[in-house]
Amino acid sequence: DVVDVIKKYCDLPVILFPNNVTGITSNADAIWFMSLFNSINPYFITGAQMMAAPYIKRIGIETLSMAYLIVGEGKTAGFIGYANPIPIDKPEVAAAYALAAEIMGFKYVYLEAGSGAKKHIPPDFVSSVKKYLDKIILVVGGGIRNGDIAYSISKAGADIVVTGNIIIESIDILYDIVDGVKRGGIEKIKGV
């Protein structure tokens, strides 16, 4: 029902970010088909994906393969996913995971500080990971509360910036964040 309401008022594709196999619907346009690479529980690495795969194939929804990495505090995503969070001072660990994902054929890698995280992933962490990647799209989220943070994350190399909790508090902040991402993207392009 939620996807139907979104599609009624928005022409953009709806991409599912499922928290489990029960979050899949044929009404969406695509799904992040994620593997929580730094989980200590095989269910979140390949188990849930195995359970969902036949249904996803049957409904024909587009899949976007994503290596999901919990960084820093990780919040609820880290707790629920039995993650072994990557320390914020160890970007080389995240870079190695991301490079492995790229070599394995994943199209996206997500550096996740956790929904509502007190601290976002630092820009130098993002740039340390990005410099090792050739083809994979880098997604960064968690703790991004304003346009300045979004700018610094985008400029550092994030191809996609994810925010969520902050727009529940104030939808107006979304405009500031989008502007920050655009400014950071322009700076990133200038540096290429």
Side-chain angles (χ1 to χ4, degrees):
D1 292 342
V2 172
V3 172
D4 289 341
V5 170
I6 292 169
K7 291 184 95 165
K8 181 177 178 181
Y9 294 99
C10 179
D11 292 332
L12 296 173
V14 175
I15 302 171
L16 298 176
F17 191 102
N19 62 349
N20 209 326
V21 294
T22 57
I24 301 170
T25 176
S26 61
N27 298 5
D29 299 295
I31 184 172
W32 294 114
F33 199 68
M34 299 180 285
S35 175
L36 180 50
F37 267 37
N38 59 329
S39 178
I40 59 171
N41 184 336
Y43 175 80
F44 295 102
I45 303 168
T46 57
Q49 298 77 358
M50 173 275 303
M51 291 172 56
Y55 178 65
I56 289 172
K57 182 163 179 73
R58 189 172 79 243
I59 64 174
I61 192 170
E62 180 182 358
T63 55
L64 306 169
S65 59
M66 176 186 283
Y68 192 51
L69 299 171
I70 303 294
V71 178
E73 64 181 296
K75 301 293 284 182
T76 303
F79 176 77
I80 297 295
Y82 294 90
N84 185 13
I86 299 167
I88 208 72
D89 64 343
K90 299 291 183 193
E92 65 275 10
V93 174
Y97 270 121
L99 189 54
E102 184 174 272
I103 292 168
M104 293 168 77
F106 282 75
K107 303 296 183 205
Y108 300 84
V109 65
Y110 189 155
L111 303 178
E112 169 71 275
S115 294
K118 292 180 182 93
K119 295 182 180 180
H120 60 86
I121 297 172
D124 60 331
F125 191 104
V126 174
S127 62
S128 293
V129 172
K130 183 66 174 181
K131 73 180 178 184
Y132 286 96
L133 305 177
D134 294 321
K135 296 176 254 175
I136 203 165
I137 296 169
L138 183 60
V139 182
V140 180
I144 300 170
R145 293 186 170 80
N146 61 52
D148 291 337
I149 296 170
Y151 166 79
S152 67
I153 297 297
S154 178
K155 182 180 175 188
D159 300 300
I160 298 173
V161 174
V162 175
T163 189
N165 287 0
I166 193 67
I167 64 170
I168 294 169
E169 296 172 24
S170 169
I171 191 68
D172 295 332
I173 196 71
L174 182 60
Y175 299 105
D176 185 43
I177 291 171
V178 169
D179 179 65
V181 171
K182 287 179 180 179
R183 288 184 294 117
I186 290 168
E187 289 295 319
K188 184 171 60 172
I189 290 169
K190 285 180 183 177
V192 173

